[in-house]
Amino acid sequence: MQCANDPRRPERIVRYVSPQAVLNAQNDEKKDAPNDDLTPDYMNVLGMIFSMCALMMRIKWCGWVAVYCSCISFANTKYNDDTKQIMSSFMLSISAVVMSYLQNPMPMTLPFTG
Amino acid sequence: MRRRKSFLCPATLLPMLMLAISINLMSGTSEAAKSNEYADIEDNDFAEFDFEDETDESSKVEVEDEDDEFDTNVEDEEAEVEVETENDDEFSHFEDDEEFEGFNPKEDHEDPDEFYNEPKARPEKATPNPPKQPIKIVNIPAHLRTNWENYYMEIFMIIGIIVYFLNFFTGKTKNQKIANQWFNSHRSLLESQFSLVGDDGSKNTEDIQEPLTKESENIFTFWCSGRVCCEGMLVELKLLKRQDLVGVISTAMKPAHDQVHVRVEMSPEDMDSFIFCIANKKSSLRLAKEMNDLATYCPERRPADKFDIPGSYFIMSEVAEVASAMLDAKMISMFRKYPDAIDTIHFSDQFTGPKPGEDQQPLELPQGKQVLIFVFNILTGKDKSLDEAIEETKPLMQLVFYCLDKVKRYKLSREAKTKADKNRTRVAENHWRSIHAVKAEKAAEEREKKRREIKERIREIEDPEKQRKMEERENRREKKKQQPKMKQLKVN
């Protein structure tokens, strides 16, 4: 029995629909909400670029930077995002580091130290 | 009769001749080994090698007689190179293997011509020392297991990754703790206002296990519904990125607070047509640029000093009377009591979110929603613990319900209503005009494209007669289109 001052109305319950689901229903392809944090996406792309540099140009510090970019992307990712992309970014960066050292086991030298 | 063999018969001559030749050869070898006078003998090719020996003056004289043209410098150099004596022991160094680098010992040393019969041999080559071959130093990489101290950069990198992940787990745990604490602290208040507090998507509302939803490691949301005047309320706890080391460092450099974003979705019949926003300076600048409704309907920003609100707050209002109506005594007292805790209060009946980008212009006029948005800061600091900061947000949540009821009751005056409706109509017209302009431009482009295609097809026709006919047909069609359309009336 509800009092007159009780603002609760069980008959007016509306179930929650996430904004992401609404956007996906409007467009057929998956799309992020416009004001979403883009840090994980940028870090993902950066990680891939550095991994490619490490693999193709055999630059060791690029491999390490790629690993760090993957870590930052992982830390900032949202739960509803695709985890495959993060995992592939991690695998690519780790393989870049491993391949760099297999080809040349010398210690890493930074570009400005020569 | 047997002829008596003479001493000079072939049988004796031949062996004697061979003996003489061998004796001659042997004597020649010994002389070459002993002295440098061989240079004087017949073959003048080696005359240039003035093997001067200071003790042996006779040979020196002879060399000078024969080789006047040669440079004395060569003589000086050669004096250092060769020492000639008649003593066999002084040539014992020829037998030393270390004297001859690169010299192949398998070669026949006994051939006397080997050292002498090189026509243009240089002074260095006359000596027994063969030329040195350049030594190539191959860069052999250091072995991974023996020089650990050289890998200090790699060790540093690995330590950095370990530190990053340690911080990740620590920050994640702390954020979870803050979110749980906030939710548990406000749960009773929320349950007194809403029938449903927290929705995890379960079919039955009674089967909801986790009311608090984790969007990411620093964003937690929950949905409340079942109340008068509103369809529901979404509460987002946007905490600091404690799980990201880069976020921690940026927070240390540029201080920020954990925030509570409350968005109440009003029923269309429960809110009049007005747009009002009060925010601190930084937020008001950002909102005025980013938010579509504020940029369209409230272009001016006015300071809130007029209302005796402390701090640097700015008001954006479509109609001036709305600001006076919303900022009543209770509201102002909350601003005074909790300075810095209130970041933004935004009421709008035309809320469509942020402005779309230039390439994302919608074709249809977006339908605005009636929303009340509140942004509060959780002010933790040196003199305030987390529990105290969370307790301080309770009165702010009470403010939300107060505003909810106030907006339901508030009605615009006639003039304000007329002005608001006029603004909305103007915005809709502008939108359709721009859409129409865009559509007209697209149609013109398509027409131009079609015309070009037809012309290309006509040009490709090989038969000139057919080409001419096609061109005439096209010209007639275009002329017909350009003529004004007239209705024909039949008069009987």
Side-chain angles (χ1 to χ4, degrees):
Chain A
M1 188 98 170
Q2 282 173 334
C3 321
N5 291 333
D6 189 2
R8 289 177 295 180
R9 298 287 182 270
E11 67 278 5
R12 290 188 71 163
I13 287 175
V14 174
R15 300 304 300 272
Y16 176 59
V17 179
S18 70
Q20 190 67 39
V22 170
L23 270 173
N24 292 344
Q26 282 173 0
N27 315 316
D28 284 332
E29 70 241 9
K30 198 174 174 191
K31 203 177 161 185
D32 281 330
N35 55 350
D36 258 359
D37 185 19
L38 294 173
T39 306
D41 297 324
Y42 291 150
M43 285 294 138
N44 235 343
V45 170
L46 265 179
M48 280 191 223
I49 291 169
F50 278 114
S51 299
M52 287 292 120
C53 287
L55 280 168
M56 287 183 202
M57 293 157 71
R58 300 180 192 180
I59 305 173
K60 289 187 178 124
W61 64 264
C62 283
W64 287 107
V65 171
V67 172
Y68 274 95
C69 288
S70 301
C71 292
I72 294 169
S73 179
F74 168 72
N76 286 285
T77 193
K78 291 202 168 172
Y79 272 37
N80 53 9
D81 280 350
D82 198 1
T83 55
K84 283 181 222 162
Q85 193 155 2
I86 300 289
M87 291 310 297
S88 67
S89 173
F90 255 120
M91 292 295 116
L92 187 64
S93 57
I94 290 168
S95 67
V97 170
V98 167
M99 288 305 295
S100 304
Y101 282 93
L102 278 176
Q103 285 166 356
N104 181 12
M106 291 277 281
M108 173 173 63
T109 52
L110 294 173
F112 49 85
T113 56
Chain B
M1 186 164 134
R2 256 176 116 179
R3 198 170 161 187
R4 199 170 159 190
K5 290 182 183 175
S6 67
F7 182 71
L8 295 175
C9 72
T12 55
L13 260 177
L14 198 59
M16 282 179 75
L17 192 63
M18 287 188 71
L19 185 64
I21 290 168
S22 63
I23 289 166
N24 197 12
L25 282 171
M26 278 169 65
S27 65
T29 309
S30 63
E31 280 175 10
K34 281 174 192 176
S35 73
N36 292 320
E37 285 177 1
Y38 192 77
D40 304 330
I41 302 170
E42 303 161 8
D43 191 3
N44 272 335
D45 289 337
F46 294 95
E48 64 186 355
F49 303 117
D50 196 359
F51 300 106
E52 277 192 296
D53 187 4
E54 290 176 357
T55 57
D56 189 2
E57 291 187 8
S58 60
S59 62
K60 195 176 177 182
V61 169
E62 283 177 20
V63 168
E64 281 176 358
D65 288 341
E66 289 180 14
D67 304 0
D68 288 337
E69 56 194 76
F70 289 98
D71 197 4
T72 52
N73 288 335
V74 175
E75 292 175 4
D76 290 335
E77 285 173 15
E78 291 309 302
E80 290 176 22
V81 171
E82 193 99 9
V83 175
E84 311 90 35
T85 58
E86 294 179 354
N87 198 348
D88 281 337
D89 292 336
E90 293 191 8
F91 297 105
S92 61
H93 63 278
F94 290 143
E95 295 167 5
D96 187 6
D97 288 339
E98 289 179 10
E99 280 292 319
F100 307 104
E101 292 179 23
F103 179 66
N104 189 350
K106 288 181 185 173
E107 283 178 20
D108 189 7
H109 288 291
E110 292 176 358
D111 185 6
D113 294 335
E114 183 180 4
F115 295 103
Y116 303 103
N117 286 336
E118 285 181 66
K120 289 179 184 176
R122 291 183 175 233
E124 291 83 22
K125 284 192 182 174
T127 66
N129 293 329
K132 286 184 186 177
Q133 303 221 349
I135 297 169
K136 287 181 192 172
I137 299 169
V138 178
N139 197 14
I140 300 167
H143 200 278
L144 199 60
R145 279 172 284 184
T146 54
N147 297 330
W148 284 113
E149 59 269 14
N150 292 342
Y151 293 91
Y152 62 92
M153 283 300 302
E154 284 78 3
I155 291 166
F156 183 67
M157 290 289 179
I158 290 168
I159 289 171
I161 291 171
I162 292 167
V163 165
Y164 189 92
F165 276 102
L166 278 173
N167 176 76
F168 173 79
F169 289 112
T170 318
K172 175 184 157 180
T173 313
K174 192 166 183 191
N175 277 348
Q176 183 77 55
K177 185 185 154 197
I178 292 170
N180 287 337
Q181 202 170 338
W182 195 96
F183 181 72
N184 293 332
S185 150
H186 290 76
R187 191 167 194 167
S188 55
L189 172 65
L190 293 166
E191 282 175 348
S192 68
Q193 296 286 329
F194 293 94
S195 300
L196 172 69
V197 175
D199 188 358
D200 62 357
S202 304
K203 223 172 180 179
N204 205 346
T205 55
E206 284 153 14
D207 298 335
I208 291 169
Q209 301 285 327
E210 291 176 16
L212 194 62
T213 308
K214 197 176 184 181
E215 298 284 331
S216 73
E217 301 298 344
N218 64 308
I219 298 175
F220 299 84
T221 61
F222 62 90
W223 171 256
C224 303
S225 185
R227 193 192 189 274
V228 292
C229 314
C230 69
E231 290 181 0
M233 180 175 85
L234 180 69
V235 179
E236 282 180 292
L237 300 172
K238 290 191 176 173
L239 308 177
L240 297 172
K241 288 186 180 179
R242 292 180 177 85
Q243 79 280 5
D244 179 22
L245 196 59
V246 174
V248 169
I249 293 166
S250 69
T251 308
M253 285 161 49
K254 192 177 158 189
H257 300 287
D258 297 318
Q259 286 188 332
V260 180
H261 290 238
V262 179
R263 179 172 141 166
V264 181
E265 292 185 6
M266 300 291 283
S267 310
E269 63 275 7
D270 290 327
M271 186 173 174
D272 212 341
S273 311
F274 64 90
I275 296 169
F276 165 76
C277 180
I278 178 167
N280 69 22
K281 189 179 178 185
K282 205 173 162 188
S283 300
S284 65
L285 272 166
R286 185 179 47 85
L287 290 169
K289 278 182 201 167
E290 284 180 7
M291 287 298 157
N292 201 14
D293 57 339
L294 290 173
T296 310
Y297 295 98
C298 313
E300 285 179 19
R301 279 168 61 238
R302 290 194 191 96
D305 302 334
K306 194 169 88 170
F307 296 95
D308 271 339
I309 292 174
S312 56
Y313 283 95
F314 282 79
I315 294 170
M316 288 164 279
S317 181
E318 189 186 5
V319 178
E321 70 170 57
V322 171
S324 312
M326 289 298 122
L327 293 173
D328 58 1
K330 176 136 190 196
M331 205 67 130
I332 293 170
S333 70
M334 290 301 286
F335 274 101
R336 284 200 189 126
K337 204 171 171 186
Y338 304 102
D340 301 329
I342 300 174
D343 186 86
T344 307
I345 293 177
H346 179 192
F347 302 157
S348 174
D349 73 313
Q350 295 292 318
F351 184 76
T352 51
K355 265 197 231 174
E358 281 185 15
D359 56 337
Q360 292 170 343
Q361 291 291 338
L363 290 171
E364 298 292 325
L365 181 67
Q367 194 66 30
K369 288 185 187 171
Q370 289 79 19
V371 296
L372 310 181
I373 296 172
F374 301 82
V375 180
F376 304 127
N377 295 323
I378 301 175
L379 299 170
T380 47
K382 287 177 188 174
D383 52 348
K384 208 181 276 181
S385 68
L386 179 65
D387 292 334
E388 286 169 1
I390 288 173
E391 282 302 312
E392 265 187 16
T393 58
K394 270 189 187 166
L396 297 171
M397 290 305 291
Q398 295 276 12
L399 178 68
V400 169
F401 303 125
Y402 170 78
C403 291
L404 219 162
D405 293 329
K406 186 178 174 128
V407 164
K408 160 116 173 79
R409 290 192 305 266
Y410 178 72
K411 296 290 170 207
L412 288 167
S413 66
R414 201 182 292 178
E415 295 85 20
K417 180 81 180 166
T418 313
K419 190 180 173 187
D421 290 340
K422 207 172 164 184
N423 285 341
R424 280 145 186 75
T425 316
R426 176 179 51 85
V427 166
E429 275 176 11
N430 288 343
H431 175 82
W432 288 119
R433 241 180 261 143
S434 67
I435 295 292
H436 181 75
V438 167
K439 278 186 181 172
E441 206 180 304
K442 271 188 184 169
E445 268 179 33
E446 272 178 31
R447 255 184 275 129
E448 189 59 37
K449 201 177 167 184
K450 266 186 189 168
R451 204 184 298 161
R452 261 185 259 134
E453 274 173 18
I454 289 167
K455 280 190 177 164
E456 273 296 319
R457 242 185 284 146
I458 291 169
R459 257 182 248 142
E460 279 166 17
I461 295 170
E462 289 172 1
D463 187 5
E465 190 59 36
K466 263 190 188 173
Q467 210 178 47
R468 191 180 56 82
K469 279 185 183 170
M470 287 280 285
E471 274 180 16
E472 277 176 11
R473 206 189 301 167
E474 234 2 83
N475 289 339
R476 258 184 272 137
R477 206 183 290 167
E478 276 179 27
K479 272 184 188 167
K480 218 177 182 181
K481 274 187 190 171
Q482 281 166 9
Q483 271 173 6
K485 289 179 184 171
M486 282 187 291
K487 282 187 184 176
Q488 286 181 347
L489 289 170
K490 273 189 183 174
V491 179
N492 292 326

